[in-house]
Amino acid sequence: MNNFEDLLDAFKNGNISRDEAIHRLSSVQEMELGHTIVDLDRRRRTGDAEVIYCAGKTPQQVRDIVSSLVEADERVLATRASEETARAVLGLFPEAQYNETARIVTVGKSAENSGRPIAVVAAGTSDLPVLEEAAATAEFFGHEVIRALDVGVAGLHRLLRRIDEIRRARAVVAVAGMEGALPSVVAGLVDVPVIAVPTSVGYGANFGGLTALLAMVNSCASGVSVVNIDNGFGGAYTAHLIAR
Amino acid sequence: MNNFEDLLDAFKNGNISRDEAIHRLSSVQEMELGHTIVDLDRRRRTGDAEVIYCAGKTPQQVRDIVSSLVEADERVLATRASEETARAVLGLFPEAQYNETARIVTVGKSAENSGRPIAVVAAGTSDLPVLEEAAATAEFFGHEVIRALDVGVAGLHRLLRRIDEIRRARAVVAVAGMEGALPSVVAGLVDVPVIAVPTSVGYGANFGGLTALLAMVNSCASGVSVVNIDNGFGGAYTAHLIAR
Amino acid sequence: MNNFEDLLDAFKNGNISRDEAIHRLSSVQEMELGHTIVDLDRRRRTGDAEVIYCAGKTPQQVRDIVSSLVEADERVLATRASEETARAVLGLFPEAQYNETARIVTVGKSAENSGRPIAVVAAGTSDLPVLEEAAATAEFFGHEVIRALDVGVAGLHRLLRRIDEIRRARAVVAVAGMEGALPSVVAGLVDVPVIAVPTSVGYGANFGGLTALLAMVNSCASGVSVVNIDNGFGGAYTAHLIAR
Amino acid sequence: MNNFEDLLDAFKNGNISRDEAIHRLSSVQEMELGHTIVDLDRRRRTGDAEVIYCAGKTPQQVRDIVSSLVEADERVLATRASEETARAVLGLFPEAQYNETARIVTVGKSAENSGRPIAVVAAGTSDLPVLEEAAATAEFFGHEVIRALDVGVAGLHRLLRRIDEIRRARAVVAVAGMEGALPSVVAGLVDVPVIAVPTSVGYGANFGGLTALLAMVNSCASGVSVVNIDNGFGGAYTAHLIAR
Amino acid sequence: MNNFEDLLDAFKNGNISRDEAIHRLSSVQEMELGHTIVDLDRRRRTGDAEVIYCAGKTPQQVRDIVSSLVEADERVLATRASEETARAVLGLFPEAQYNETARIVTVGKSAENSGRPIAVVAAGTSDLPVLEEAAATAEFFGHEVIRALDVGVAGLHRLLRRIDEIRRARAVVAVAGMEGALPSVVAGLVDVPVIAVPTSVGYGANFGGLTALLAMVNSCASGVSVVNIDNGFGGAYTAHLIAR
Amino acid sequence: MNNFEDLLDAFKNGNISRDEAIHRLSSVQEMELGHTIVDLDRRRRTGDAEVIYCAGKTPQQVRDIVSSLVEADERVLATRASEETARAVLGLFPEAQYNETARIVTVGKSAENSGRPIAVVAAGTSDLPVLEEAAATAEFFGHEVIRALDVGVAGLHRLLRRIDEIRRARAVVAVAGMEGALPSVVAGLVDVPVIAVPTSVGYGANFGGLTALLAMVNSCASGVSVVNIDNGFGGAYTAHLIAR
Amino acid sequence: MNNFEDLLDAFKNGNISRDEAIHRLSSVQEMELGHTIVDLDRRRRTGDAEVIYCAGKTPQQVRDIVSSLVEADERVLATRASEETARAVLGLFPEAQYNETARIVTVGKSAENSGRPIAVVAAGTSDLPVLEEAAATAEFFGHEVIRALDVGVAGLHRLLRRIDEIRRARAVVAVAGMEGALPSVVAGLVDVPVIAVPTSVGYGANFGGLTALLAMVNSCASGVSVVNIDNGFGGAYTAHLIAR
Amino acid sequence: MNNFEDLLDAFKNGNISRDEAIHRLSSVQEMELGHTIVDLDRRRRTGDAEVIYCAGKTPQQVRDIVSSLVEADERVLATRASEETARAVLGLFPEAQYNETARIVTVGKSAENSGRPIAVVAAGTSDLPVLEEAAATAEFFGHEVIRALDVGVAGLHRLLRRIDEIRRARAVVAVAGMEGALPSVVAGLVDVPVIAVPTSVGYGANFGGLTALLAMVNSCASGVSVVNIDNGFGGAYTAHLIAR
């Protein structure tokens, strides 16, 4: 009886009082850790585990949250995890896995998704961490991932050589810094949504990725939508919602 | 023999020369109007008709493009069409339709899409034109549309009352100006992608929609991606790629 | 005879000369420490002790200012105090208290305020230091404080569960980073002023809190006013002026 | 039986079905006008009438909203009303009043507020429309208003001459363009909250009021909070929430 | 004796006095028109005629400047010429020519340049005026011009079809609005300098061309340099300096 | 014969050849140090010694430049000197002086200036380094300096108490961070030029002093002109040019 | 007995009561016009007449202010006066003068200033209105003005030819748009203060003069201070304070 | 048979299959290193070696790329190389050379270019690293380089003394921070393209070089085009494309 609908019915039928209903409503779905309220009901509601954004949390805080999720039988995806945070989690859960490039810790994984894969493409070598964050996220949610690195628009032949493979995907996450042109070119070559992820890669007048962000928002190609700078997770999460 | 694969094979088999191949490649798919190159092959490649962005084109130019598309048996979607532009098109094609609020002219329409609908929600009355541009676009591509207007976050009860209906959708286009908070709140209540469309509605420090755009890009909710300011078409087009 | 009105009357009655009046005016209310002019008359004028903003001051300078205030029988509130600064003050005044999360040192405290409490709400875990700065400030000035952490708009149920409690307050300080939507949602649910405090929490295009600041200034809800980024003290001080 | 609590109880007691409850919930409090959903329950919930922001609405739309409010026995405050809009309303409700400088239409008015007045001060002549919007708003909500125009910081004596009068207020709305220094100076002279309203008055590098907005947010004085550029209504509404 | 070197020698040889030298230096090369100082010596010094930027000048002022240049036997290139300005010039010099799309008036023309041509490419139809300004400028200075319109990166095949022709050029002027990606793609396909001209074409977050400008400055391709927004003349002038 | 006029006459009289003239012109006035060209003629031309901006120069480079100036009998003012740089100079020239707060090294000093003094006023304690840079610069150039610290606009009485003294000055350098209001208030109280120096002091939305800079440029008071952020030297140098 | 000192003494001596003192203080120096408070005491305090900034005032308001100043025997300088405003003033005061280019109306004039002149230099023809506003202001205050138009840095010889004349000035007002380089070059050639006035002249990425403003604030030359964009009056007023 | 044309012909002639053609196309020109795809065909296509941008690559990655290029008989230019990276390369290739100021590692060099030289000029001492990056790049590509350091516009005589030498160049790379005026002044004195390189040198409101970038883009001189902030390589590469 730990969901909204059941509780409401129980209340309606007089099985529980209104106060009781409200009390249960509050307690069953979440667990207060002092520093954080862990949402233990999220998978039931949305189909997905809760994701832990580690930046700005201490390794201990992250470990606590992971613990309460694991106890509740949830799989765990923790992004922006430093090595220290990863060690804190792996010390407790040896079955956890740390993808160092992606800065992601996972415990468990979704069932395989039998649908079309997700493509994650990136313009240059320095975009690798963001590409990996996106790819690891998509894989956590059970998707096959097509990776294409170093396919920036100044060397079109590299992209064109991979394009048939990329076209297999149900959604494309396109990662680029500098002038951020990759998503526009890709969107002109595929017929699925392109999620553009600007990166803070660059120098001079790139303003920590703002230039790429604005360029992507102004894309001349239809079917491009944009997430925050360096937000590989966010790009992949939207792709997952599309592809599942 | 009007596509890339056929032409390449014909060339391989010696049926046509290399020059001939290149020449045909160029001519069959497009028609040059002097001011514009109309892509007559787009529907075959992507499944969708070409869209005409009328801003910055004269009524005559738009009418010419519409003509060449209609002659090629294409359906037509023309956005940002002024009344004058609409009149120019309707003068020639009485079967065309003009949605004045959405500023959209259409000739023909996609087949009904039997899948889940697309929801288009907006924060306030002044967002109506952008909401309509998104809704009319989605309808042109054959989708059922769920409209929810005036569901801004300062009056949560209005949104909550509509939320069950919105949850039927395969994708949500969330339109908002001012502080642009609507997509974040919606994304916390649904389990499908939310395409956020910032609008230039507001005054003072809204900077023509930039404030809403930045807020949306910084959404604390997963599953939100963003298109350009006032780009109702773009939001709906991505939703269409998701829902088809 | 240490205030403006008395001095003016004394001058009028010929009890003191004009030069004397000006001299006294200058000397009685303030104490020059070389690096700073301490305002010893502020509580009489405004009802509140002077607040020390420690950032940009050495521990020794802060200790000097605290000393002159304590000698003048004032209570002390020092914000943005580093641990080193706190130690410098506590070494001299063992009765002082250091709130490490809030980075606040206090000596003494205002009398209890018998009125309605002040609510301090925050969107996420990372907003905790700013929330605590606000809460500790309000408590220093004698107010009961209602704290609500982790009530961001992407999980509305968390906020709604606390809303009845929040409604008891005479003013709400709403702390949020990222898209800064919390104050708008809160202001739609209460009938008291909401003081919005943007935080620098976030990444990518949040620009150190500017995005949240602009979003809050553009709030679609009436009754929201905004203070500087991370300025928990400022938000609580305005709430104190409202609630006292 | 037109509020949330009653409906919930009736549903609990079996007096009405769940569907009926939801249906009533939706219908009793609001009236859909096609273009707008009018909130007829707002005064009960918040104590204040709904405010109509006329910018971006046609005179007919405004007239419709006014009508439904008047029929529901509400008082009306409509801001940013053009002359044409005012005429549309006054044609229907001759008892309505139009303050041309403030661009405000009112029908009815709150009961007199017996508390301390609200001061509205402005730096220069060109700030007059914003000052008047603030003053008329405060008066609509039943407050006595102290107006002080042309008290900019480059002529301090003008402000100082009015300061005793200003100190009578429970809250000060301080309106200024250009360098936006007035709220800082005023807040140093009073012991109540100062709501700063930046105006778009100025030229050159004032960026439509952004310079004043940023300056006010950075105020060195405690007790200053800020609303949007030219938002006289918003400043006064917060002052009203403080003073009532 | 109307150049710097001759005058210096004459002064050295005692043929003219120092005052005389200075006086002549001032008068022979320029003609003061009251509102403008026309540089009649520029072609001798730089090989190019002086160019008149008509924006911000009255038709009469432009006509006066043209007159003094024609009298001094100069060719004339006047950019940003309104129709009214063009009429003023053509009324006096029937041999003048007005390119309406390019908003350029010319009198006379440079000798044919026998070198490699200049390519002027543009992303979309709305970039046509800037493309024409660049093309007409290059032609005025005697260059063969290769025009390629509507070759934006969302439809790569259009660009690739023209690329062999573009590769004939000694320099490429690449004109684009929106996300400004065209110069990056072109520079990856040619081995000559690419001068990027951002245009103010676009909507939403394009900020009058700033987005395209920043994107171009951040190009990931080597060999791209950038001129001001909409500055077709400037792009072509640099190309002319390269190709002559 | 080490100035322009003498050299020109010698050339005219045939005493030296043109080549010789050009050679001497280059060599007598400057000394190349490899990394820098030291201008040894500046004092003759402008009346002031050359100033060394140490930021971005190694201690050795600064010491070299100081040496060549001292050898040429010049006085030296070196700003933004780190302690290490100061030690490098003082090791060689024990008569040099280091003002640590102002980060200024001087060797020698201008003759006393008998005119009216220069006032240097600052809003808060944290502005002290910039105030000192300005004051030490003015003193180096021989001016009496009136210092007024901690006279920010949120405590007007502090400024008013010092105003008679400040009015003695021929020019006022007004230093302020945060909202940058001090120059406006001062300029309304004096009848001499006010040079405003914004400082990077502040937090949140102060953008490293940009907010103060913009506010000062938008000053509502006449007679205010502005130099770069934290540029105490620049403010004082202009004041020196006014007062000498 | 119409100044502060006299009134204070009279009050001290018991000749007038405190209320009377305050009353007189308020009334003698200023005249309230409803829309404006005219400062009739300014010339006594600062030596200069009050200046009317006409932008944002109706012709009638300006005429009223001029009238009250003329009645008080003041000279009048009204800037940013439209033709309509000028007509309103000249209709009443036929002796008034309107400088159309400068958009300035004057009534009367200061006594000749016998000191060194003020130079006003500008980069291009389009800067003429700002140059004229500066020049006319300086002339109103009694200064000889040296005008140098069209001396932009892309044609250095034009500036160098005028430099000896410019060096006669006690202060230079340097007006420039676009890249705003003129003040830096001028300041390297003179030994008096240079007041830089950025103009909004330009196109593309000039942002209404912001580019020039920032460039000027970052001048590599000492002795440059900056006023607001297009603020010819402000530049000249500071020059006047220097030169008088 | 390692280029596109040969492969296509072989395919046409049936010598290789389509799959084989595609496979070879991919493999012969590039070498995948895991982290990077090295383009071994670039020199044949463009005449220039591939350039390695070391920022964001580990010393090991750079060493790998250098190795594969050297093995393919390519010359190597690696920019933004840290000392550690340089050591990693020099350890393997003792014939490599490290220019520490320019932060450039080279292996081999282009043949001497017999054409006109490239001039690299810079405004101040702190621009030295960018000037050297440009100069070393130009030398790597076989050009004679004319260096002119410390020729900023505040000391025009320094620039004028070098101008005859600079005029020998086929293209000028003009490096400047602060107000970025140097390219405008230089372009007025030469008749070849000026490539402007803004630097991040400066303080206060220079915004990491943005001020100089905007100023250069707004240059009033024709023939100026701009590359990214601190991009000495980019400026020189364009100059190389012009001069070869």
Side-chain angles (χ1 to χ4, degrees), chain A residues 34 79 90 107 111 118 121 178 182 208:
Chain A
T79 65
L90 271 79
V107 185
I118 289 171
V121 305
M178 304 186 111
L182 184 61

Side-chain angles (χ1 to χ4, degrees), chain A residues 10-23:
Chain A
F11 161 64
K12 172 76 174 73
N13 300 333
N15 294 342
I16 58 170
S17 69
R18 200 168 79 167
D19 282 1
E20 178 71 9
I22 288 173
H23 175 72

Side-chain angles (χ1 to χ4, degrees), chain A residues 152-156 159-160 177-181 184-189 202-207 211 214-222, chain E residues 152-156 159-160 177-181 184-189 202-207 211 214-222:
Chain A
V153 301
L156 270 188
L159 174 61
L160 294 178
M178 304 186 111
E179 82 274 66
S184 295
V185 173
V186 169
L189 298 168
Y203 60 104
N206 87 323
F207 305 120
T211 292
L214 291 177
M216 289 166 172
V217 164
N218 279 279
S219 176
C220 60
S222 298
Chain E
V153 301
L156 270 189
L159 175 61
L160 294 178
M178 304 185 112
E179 81 275 67
S184 295
V185 174
V186 169
L189 297 169
Y203 59 104
N206 86 324
F207 304 120
T211 293
L214 290 176
M216 289 168 172
V217 164
N218 280 279
S219 176
C220 60
S222 298

